[in-house]
Amino acid sequence: MPISKAVPGKKYGRAGRFEDKEKPTQIRESNITAAKAVADAIRTSLGPKGMDKMIQDEKGDVTITNDGATILKRMKVLHPAARMLVELSKAQDVEAGDGTTSVVVLAGSLLDAAAKLLGRGIHPTIISDAFQQCAEKAVDVLTKMSRPIELSDRETLLKSASTSLNSKVVSQYSGLLAPLAVDAILKVIDPSVATNVDLRDVKIIPKIGGTIEDTELVEGLVLTQKTASGSSGLQRVEKAKIGLIQFCLSPPKTDMENQVIVSDYTQMDRVLREERQYTLNLVKQIKKAGCNVLLVQKSILRDALSDLALHFLNKMKILVVKDIERDEIEFVCKATGCKPIASIDHFTLDMLATADMVEEVSVGSGRIVKVSGAAAGGKTVSVLMRGSNKLVLHEAERSLHDALCVIRCLVKKRATIAGGGAPETELAIRLAQHARTLGGMEAYCFAQYADAMEVVPYTLSENAGLNPISTVTELRNRHVNGDHNAGINVRKGGISDMAEESVVQPLLVTTSAIELATETVRSILKIDDIVNTRGG
Ligand code: ADP
Ligand code: MG
């Protein structure tokens, strides 16, 4: 880019270079405006009375959701600073799983505060450093007002899961999904020692048909592939010995593409006989190891299972489930206790898993295979999610994921905090109090940061159809009078004690939202130029 062209009215540095003092300010302003636009776009979906978004992609696929992370992921955001908010929401999704809307709304409000401070001529670095201190102080305040819990306190776990589910499209099913989320997590961990949960141990299987009420938790393994038993009618095996193979039960192919032309009938017979013999040997070996349920990994090179092999397997009463995906292998092994077998030479009894029962059952319009009572099975569960259409089903799946994350947060950090804007209001008051003990620019920054926190109760009441100004004012008064858990009661309208209303959320969701939002705002503030290397 030629930057030395003389422009009337601009200042020039000693080297005659273009030195536009205004540029960093303009860049910062445009970044803040773009990022705020994103925050404003999803503000209306915050809270139980928040609106949902219908998103259509290029292919015409429609998604209905209330989840901040999902909305932002699907939105086509081009401005680089606005993209930072999309990343922010993603980061919160990874860190806490819930609070993905709140984090962006908070960031938007903090950007507003930063813009005001910049307008007063405070240097971005000073604002950025002050905001960092504010966030630390905020986490302190939140930790002090939180309540420690035990994982045996099922009541609180249920309440936290329900709070998260209540702001979803599928909120009327929170009575069913909340206990399901709690049970699922408690089944895959050892509550006395666990400090984290691997959510891959909870497999959610969406299946269209029925209603969400038909959703069930299955201990053990559910495979969405049906059995390949064909006409043999073998759909159920008791006392199963399960083998999982990663090699193909079909005649081998040459490495290179080539043809064998057989012109003689006797030769052809021989080829067929060879194939028959080869396949039969493989199947016999499988039978000999004691296997009666065979899971076959999908092969990208060729048919993993030839018709002939299937015929022999059926004849020997071995139940076959084919097309197990590569990425399912780990879960299948963990759930059943079997080991993947890479070649027939390793097909021995010690690689197999035992289970009480493997059976194919019909669910909605399709069929699935259930494996129950696996002896050496690890701690895994499957959730068979049901829904009458794709839109509801997938939103239910995302909502359940949020609820699982909430419980995971409580495993990671065993403390809860009241919801409904109570923590944010408390922060606004405490930080403003702290600001009064400071001097100079820092005091300004703290005061603005404190004000910015009120966006959450403000938005919650706005979305619930209450008068935001009078509600937030009253809420502030209640907090000043020592009512730390007072929050917006979106159902009845007005203000009440959120802990009594059972609106509780994990401490980690709120602290991570504050920390991540502050971090993003700080990095946006520090940008003073955008260098575009794309195109010419
Ligand atoms: P997020 O994606 O940030 O989790 P939500 O739409 O789930 O966004 O809204 C979360 C906010 O709604 C939190 O501030 C939470 O405290 C609040 N909230 C949830 N349930 C209630 C309720 N029953 N009454 C009042 N506020 C609630
Ligand atoms: Mg939520």
Side-chain angles (χ1 to χ4, degrees):
M1 190 172 66
I3 51 170
S4 53
K5 221 172 96 197
V7 180
K10 295 277 177 195
K11 291 185 195 145
Y12 292 88
R14 226 178 301 152
R17 282 260 227 78
F18 181 36
E19 250 182 31
D20 189 349
K21 282 266 165 60
E22 292 299 306
K23 195 173 175 201
T25 313
Q26 280 167 9
I27 293 277
R28 213 168 272 124
E29 267 171 21
S30 101
N31 281 348
I32 292 181
T33 314
K36 261 186 60 52
V38 171
D40 284 339
I42 69 164
R43 249 189 67 185
T44 54
S45 58
L46 184 75
K49 291 285 170 86
M51 296 292 160
D52 306 326
K53 305 278 178 214
M54 190 176 223
I55 307 162
Q56 191 174 25
D57 64 12
E58 305 105 352
K59 281 189 241 138
D61 279 346
V62 174
T63 311
I64 295 181
T65 184
N66 174 286
D67 186 48
T70 311
I71 299 171
L72 288 174
K73 214 182 326 167
R74 305 278 156 95
M75 248 158 78
K76 272 232 149 48
V77 179
L78 293 177
H79 195 287
R83 286 216 60 82
M84 289 175 73
L85 289 207
V86 178
E87 293 302 320
L88 168 64
S89 183
K90 249 190 233 164
Q92 173 80 3
D93 201 25
V94 171
E95 180 68 25
D98 196 16
T100 50
T101 317
S102 314
V103 73
V104 176
V105 170
L106 272 173
S109 178
L110 286 176
L111 282 171
D112 238 350
K116 278 187 207 143
L117 293 166
L118 286 171
R120 291 192 180 183
I122 303 181
H123 194 272
T125 310
I126 294 183
I127 304 175
S128 165
D129 291 348
F131 275 17
Q132 174 61 28
Q133 288 172 28
C134 292
E136 279 163 21
K137 180 93 189 135
V139 170
D140 241 20
V141 173
L142 289 172
T143 313
K144 286 210 184 90
M145 70 181 282
S146 71
R147 202 171 65 85
I149 64 149
E150 292 292 323
L151 289 182
S152 52
D153 180 2
R154 191 178 165 82
E155 192 73 12
T156 309
L157 295 183
L158 282 177
K159 279 183 198 165
S160 314
S162 304
T163 303
S164 157
L165 288 165
N166 275 339
S167 49
K168 303 290 179 191
V169 181
V170 293
S171 60
Q172 73 263 39
Y173 300 107
S174 64
L176 169 84
L177 296 180
L180 205 139
V182 173
D183 288 340
I185 296 284
L186 291 183
K187 284 220 171 87
V188 300
I189 59 162
D190 179 355
S192 54
V193 292
T195 52
N196 203 348
V197 185
D198 189 350
L199 282 187
R200 281 173 305 181
D201 291 343
V202 181
K203 192 174 168 207
I204 305 180
I205 300 154
K207 197 99 188 157
I208 291 184
T211 66
I212 293 174
E213 270 163 31
D214 301 324
T215 298
E216 57 174 324
L217 185 71
V218 183
E219 268 182 74
L221 177 67
V222 172
L223 295 167
T224 42
Q225 298 85 348
K226 41 184 193 176
T227 58
S229 51
S231 57
S232 73
L234 186 65
Q235 284 178 345
R236 181 187 155 104
V237 173
E238 279 175 43
K239 296 212 177 56
K241 283 247 177 281
I242 307 165
L244 170 63
I245 60 168
Q246 295 182 305
F247 56 89
C248 298
L249 285 182
S250 52
K253 269 190 186 162
T254 49
D255 284 342
M256 274 174 293
E257 198 64 47
N258 51 19
Q259 285 181 334
V260 179
I261 298 173
V262 186
S263 48
D264 181 350
Y265 272 115
T266 55
Q267 291 292 330
M268 206 148 110
D269 262 357
R270 234 188 86 199
V271 171
L272 286 176
R273 223 176 19 242
E274 279 291 317
E275 183 187 337
R276 219 179 143 80
Q277 199 51 49
Y278 173 83
T279 313
L280 188 61
N281 274 342
L282 288 179
V283 175
K284 269 188 179 158
Q285 232 161 316
I286 290 172
K287 181 79 188 167
K288 209 174 82 197
C291 171
N292 57 10
V293 175
L294 188 68
L295 310 180
V296 186
Q297 181 182 328
K298 199 175 200 165
S299 163
I300 46 167
L301 298 175
R302 55 189 162 121
D303 236 359
L305 190 68
S306 70
D307 289 344
L308 189 63
L310 188 59
H311 167 78
F312 287 137
L313 288 165
N314 283 338
K315 246 175 130 177
M316 295 189 192
K317 295 260 171 285
I318 298 175
L319 187 140
V320 185
V321 181
K322 59 174 188 173
D323 292 343
I324 306 286
E325 298 286 345
R326 175 75 196 84
D327 53 6
E328 280 180 287
I329 298 287
E330 203 184 330
F331 185 81
V332 169
C333 290
K334 194 160 184 198
T336 57
C338 67
K339 302 192 190 84
I341 305 168
S343 96
I344 191 70
D345 302 331
H346 298 130
F347 204 103
T348 47
L349 186 62
D350 58 322
M351 303 293 265
L352 308 185
T354 46
D356 292 343
M357 168 95 84
V358 175
E359 69 175 328
E360 183 183 301
V361 289
S362 64
V363 168
S365 54
R367 298 180 76 81
I368 54 158
V369 175
K370 271 190 193 177
V371 178
S372 41
K379 291 179 162 235
T380 58
V381 290
S382 305
V383 177
L384 193 56
M385 191 101 218
R386 310 293 311 283
S388 51
N389 66 55
K390 212 171 85 193
L391 298 180
V392 175
L393 186 62
H394 289 299
E395 178 63 359
E397 188 186 344
R398 283 188 291 270
S399 307
L400 183 65
H401 173 261
D402 274 20
L404 290 171
C405 286
V406 163
I407 309 296
R408 181 181 63 175
C409 280
L410 291 177
V411 174
K412 279 202 220 168
K413 193 159 182 58
R414 301 180 185 188
T416 60
I417 197 166
E424 290 82 3
T425 315
E426 186 68 16
L427 282 181
I429 286 163
R430 291 301 183 81
L431 291 178
Q433 275 170 0
H434 186 68
R436 286 195 279 276
T437 66
L438 302 170
M441 310 221 214
E442 231 182 5
Y444 266 144
C445 297
F446 262 76
Q448 286 295 343
Y449 190 99
D451 273 355
M453 292 293 117
E454 283 187 351
V455 72
V456 173
Y458 190 94
T459 310
L460 281 176
S461 46
E462 203 175 37
N463 288 349
L466 304 170
N467 179 342
I469 296 180
S470 63
T471 318
V472 172
T473 311
E474 196 193 328
L475 187 60
R476 210 182 294 145
N477 285 339
R478 294 274 291 264
H479 276 259
V480 170
N481 293 333
D483 201 352
H484 305 308
N485 289 338
I488 314 279
N489 190 336
V490 291
R491 292 226 184 71
K492 293 177 203 139
I495 290 163
S496 43
D497 189 305
M498 284 293 123
E500 273 167 30
E501 294 284 332
S502 304
V503 180
V504 292
Q505 58 199 33
L507 172 65
L508 193 62
V509 170
T510 315
T511 52
S512 133
I514 300 268
E515 281 171 337
L516 292 175
T518 308
E519 195 179 285
T520 299
V521 169
R522 290 182 65 209
S523 24
I524 291 181
L525 276 177
K526 291 226 170 145
I527 297 169
D528 73 347
D529 205 350
I530 295 181
V531 181
N532 207 341
T533 57
R534 276 190 305 182

